[in-house]
Amino acid sequence: MIDLTGIELIVIGGSAGGIKAITEVLKPLPKDFPVPIVIVLHRLKNVPSTLQSVIQYHTLLLVKEADEKETIKPRCAYIAPANYHLLIEKDKTFALDYSEVVKYSRPSIDITFECVANVYGNKALGILLTGANSDGASGLLLMKLKGAKCYAQDPKSAEVSTMPQSAIDIGATDELIALNRIGLLLKQAALKIS
Amino acid sequence: MAEAERYVIGEVEVERIIEVIFNKRGIDFSGYSRASFSRRIQRITDRDSNGDFEIIVQRVSEDKLYFDQFLKEVTVNVTEMFRDPSFFLAIRKKVLPELGHHHKIRLWHAACSTGEEVYSMATLLHESNLLERSVIYGTDLNSDVLKKAKNGVYSAKNIREYTTNYQRSGGSGNFSDYYQAAYGNAVFKEFFRKNMVFSEHNLVTDGSFNEFNLIMCRNVLIYFQKPLQSRVIRIFKESLAPGGFLCLGSKESLMFADDHDAFEEVDATQKIYRKKLVV
Ligand SMILES: C[S@@+](CC[C@H](N)C(=O)[O-])C[C@H]1O[C@@H](n2cnc3c(N)ncnc32)[C@H](O)[C@@H]1O
């Protein structure tokens, strides 16, 4: 079960199959969903991108690409821009970083999860979705060590199970949730805190 | 647990190393954004002292040779040719025709790193028959990356990607005409370098040094806090001829700069601006 009491940020990572999965997660959420959501998906670089509009099409929640120095606010789902790592400063603003790829990826899910762990500690909730590599697992573990609530998509429901399975293997998850239940549970949990 | 122990660099350590670097080496990183800077220090600490931060502090203060190495790693030097091809396409369409009106064209790539962006721009100028009339300045804080930029030798393993980027940027020639393959490298041809000048310039402390028709400064403002961003934009304002172009990185903007009023948008999506004729 998901409990959003005291949660100030939700962070979600995914790779192969991740666009479809994230739209499914966001679909049930209302426009005024009270906790900001940060989304890191592996994506193509150096091509014009439609990711923001594709995701926006499926949800009432406002979807935007994170800008550098932007203050993180509720009622918004932010996506990591292509070809930058998405960092978070102590004052809960975004920072972008064009440093080396990590696990062949930029944006790296691990890096954003690590920032969330360091800035939000036990006031964060992390979810790792479908994907074909192990990015995100060690970041999720750090979140867990700092007291965050950590979930993975149930690998049985994942288009590619490597990513959630890697998190499970290192003990980074509190619970597994089937993809078609994640959005619903978030929605119900939001009702309880509002 | 090993994961958690890896993180020895917190706020206190970051402020301390910034102070040590300034006091002992005279380089000021206090205006840099902390999230990225702290990751750099963490990375260096992991690699050079197996996680022992005190050793890094000591070596930075006492060992000049070590500090030179440290300085190369503490800023992010990643770059690529034709990063954001749609940006370079906009340069071809909207900027080069305007630059063509000048007899002599002066360009400044501020924070050019190893020069891939400079050679990308030189390719565009060449294909518009403007390279002969241009002088391109490439500057960076880090003297080591500038040496690489001067040589124009890049690893062949990236060339396929760069060729695709080049084509997406509107390039219709044979990209392979521009370099010679040698020992796993692509050596860019001599004619590119004829009009290039590389030199050290620190955006934190140095000022304007010439008047330019175009300044390109991409993916360095993201590392600066707002007051430092503002300072840098002021230098650019002072360094641009009236009507001169300013090009920023795809996720950067003039929003936080005191002088944003001095500029108008040429292409908001591609982050191309122009200094107003009357400021
Ligand atoms: C990520 S690279 C950007 C390279 C290129 N412009 C691009 O977008 O691909 C950032 C560069 O900024 C340089 N830099 C950082 N601080 C600087 C400063 N204070 N003055 C000048 N250059 C600086 C770094 O040395 C590095 O080479």
Side-chain angles (χ1 to χ4, degrees):
Chain A
M1 286 316 94
I2 293 181
D3 181 359
L4 289 176
T5 315
I7 297 297
E8 289 178 10
L9 186 87
I10 297 171
V11 62
I12 307 178
S15 185
I19 298 178
K20 198 156 159 272
I22 198 71
T23 56
E24 201 156 331
V25 170
L26 298 184
K27 206 175 281 176
L29 303 187
K31 190 162 105 241
D32 58 354
F33 187 77
V35 187
I37 301 178
V38 175
I39 298 162
V40 184
L41 295 176
H42 294 163
R43 50 191 299 194
L44 294 175
K45 61 171 191 171
N46 287 324
V47 288
S49 167
T50 54
L51 185 61
Q52 184 274 335
S53 50
V54 168
I55 299 177
Q56 184 65 83
Y57 181 79
H58 293 276
T59 180
L60 293 170
L61 192 63
L62 175 69
V63 179
K64 77 176 291 291
E65 249 187 26
D67 278 313
E68 66 124 9
K69 301 196 173 40
E70 179 172 16
T71 302
I72 301 175
K73 292 198 179 129
R75 292 177 286 282
C76 188
Y78 300 92
I79 42 180
N83 214 0
Y84 291 97
H85 296 306
L86 181 62
L87 274 47
I88 299 176
E89 301 282 351
K90 279 271 173 319
D91 64 358
K92 298 176 184 172
T93 58
F94 287 118
L96 298 176
D97 184 4
Y98 177 28
S99 60
E100 296 77 2
V101 295
V102 175
K103 292 187 184 149
Y104 308 101
S105 309
R106 188 172 53 228
S108 148
I109 303 170
D110 274 334
I111 291 183
T112 305
F113 280 15
E114 286 162 14
C115 288
V116 171
N118 288 328
V119 174
Y120 288 86
N122 65 1
K123 296 189 175 67
L125 185 152
I127 307 175
L128 200 52
L129 301 173
T130 168
N133 77 1
S134 68
D135 188 17
S138 69
L140 195 67
L141 180 60
L142 187 74
M143 284 180 63
K144 189 166 177 220
L145 294 173
K146 301 256 177 169
K149 297 190 171 123
C150 298
Y151 302 90
Q153 171 177 359
D154 187 338
K156 291 201 287 288
S157 72
E159 208 170 304
V160 187
S161 61
T162 314
M163 190 171 276
Q165 191 61 50
S166 312
I168 298 164
D169 290 346
I170 59 169
T173 54
D174 294 314
E175 209 179 312
L176 308 179
I177 313 177
L179 178 62
N180 61 7
R181 308 247 312 137
I182 300 175
L184 224 57
L185 291 176
L186 286 172
K187 183 183 168 186
Q188 287 167 0
L191 287 174
K192 280 196 198 128
I193 58 163
S194 55
Chain B
M1 271 306 165
E3 284 294 325
E5 280 165 18
R6 246 183 62 213
Y7 293 86
V8 296
I9 306 303
E11 263 171 293
V12 177
E13 289 77 16
V14 171
E15 299 315 317
R16 178 138 168 253
I17 195 83
I18 287 174
E19 201 180 305
V20 170
I21 298 171
F22 185 66
N23 290 340
K24 301 277 178 174
R25 304 288 165 197
I27 300 181
D28 184 5
F29 287 108
S30 63
Y32 281 55
S33 300
R34 294 302 194 261
S36 166
F37 196 79
S38 127
R39 287 196 70 244
R40 299 313 280 179
I41 301 296
Q42 181 71 58
R43 177 189 160 95
I44 292 171
T45 310
D46 288 344
R47 200 199 46 195
D48 293 356
S49 70
N50 216 352
D52 189 337
F53 177 65
E54 289 309 319
I55 295 183
I56 301 296
V57 173
Q58 194 188 346
R59 295 182 76 182
V60 162
S61 3
E62 290 166 18
D63 183 344
K64 170 79 173 87
L65 280 179
Y66 176 76
F67 180 69
D68 291 343
Q69 290 300 316
F70 173 94
L71 195 58
K72 282 176 210 160
E73 290 285 322
V74 80
T75 58
V76 172
N77 303 316
V78 174
T79 184
E80 58 198 291
M81 288 195 83
F82 301 100
R83 183 191 161 112
D84 307 313
S86 51
F87 163 79
F88 284 96
L89 186 63
I91 294 280
R92 281 187 204 266
K93 289 194 174 148
K94 299 182 181 171
V95 175
L96 294 187
E98 298 280 326
L99 290 183
H101 296 144
H102 301 283
H103 286 299
K104 193 91 199 156
I105 309 167
R106 283 202 187 82
L107 306 97
W108 177 17
H109 289 257
C112 69
S113 189
T114 39
E116 283 84 337
E117 187 186 85
V118 185
Y119 286 84
S120 306
M121 187 66 192
T123 305
L124 266 60
L125 290 165
H126 171 71
E127 292 183 350
S128 308
N129 294 317
L130 298 176
L131 186 59
E132 292 280 314
R133 293 194 252 153
S134 304
V135 187
I136 315 180
Y137 292 80
T139 64
D140 203 278
L141 169 69
N142 178 336
S143 59
D144 220 60
V145 293
L146 292 172
K147 275 184 215 136
K148 281 200 178 161
K150 263 177 222 163
N151 291 333
V153 179
Y154 301 115
S155 169
K157 72 179 200 294
N158 298 323
I159 284 291
R160 222 176 63 173
E161 190 184 339
Y162 294 168
T163 305
T164 311
N165 286 354
Y166 162 76
Q167 287 157 351
R168 286 189 177 132
S169 81
S172 52
N174 264 330
F175 191 55
S176 58
D177 289 346
Y178 295 138
Y179 59 84
Q180 256 137 12
Y183 307 106
N185 287 320
V187 183
F188 277 77
K189 290 196 174 159
E190 196 50 42
F191 74 88
F192 280 117
R193 273 181 292 280
K194 252 183 21 208
N195 303 330
M196 289 180 185
V197 184
F198 291 100
S199 84
E200 274 179 58
H201 181 278
N202 184 345
L203 291 166
V204 177
T205 44
D206 298 332
S208 172
F209 59 94
N210 210 329
E211 188 177 80
F212 296 97
N213 307 106
L214 180 144
I215 297 176
M216 201 176 278
C217 181
R218 302 167 77 216
N219 299 307
V220 63
L221 292 180
I222 49 175
Y223 298 108
F224 294 170
Q225 293 176 349
K226 289 176 191 176
L228 185 51
Q229 287 193 352
S230 210
R231 172 188 202 272
V232 172
I233 297 299
R234 172 145 307 166
I235 299 175
F236 294 160
K237 184 187 86 175
E238 289 165 356
S239 308
L240 278 170
F245 293 93
L246 175 63
C247 308
L248 305 179
S250 64
K251 296 294 288 179
E252 293 166 331
S253 78
L254 292 174
M255 202 156 65
F256 308 119
D258 298 334
D259 291 331
H260 65 264
D261 276 347
F263 298 89
E264 58 197 24
E265 283 174 355
V266 175
D267 185 328
T269 322
Q270 303 304 336
K271 305 300 158 87
I272 302 173
Y273 306 88
R274 186 164 203 182
K275 183 170 151 184
K276 290 179 182 164
L277 291 174
V278 184
V279 177

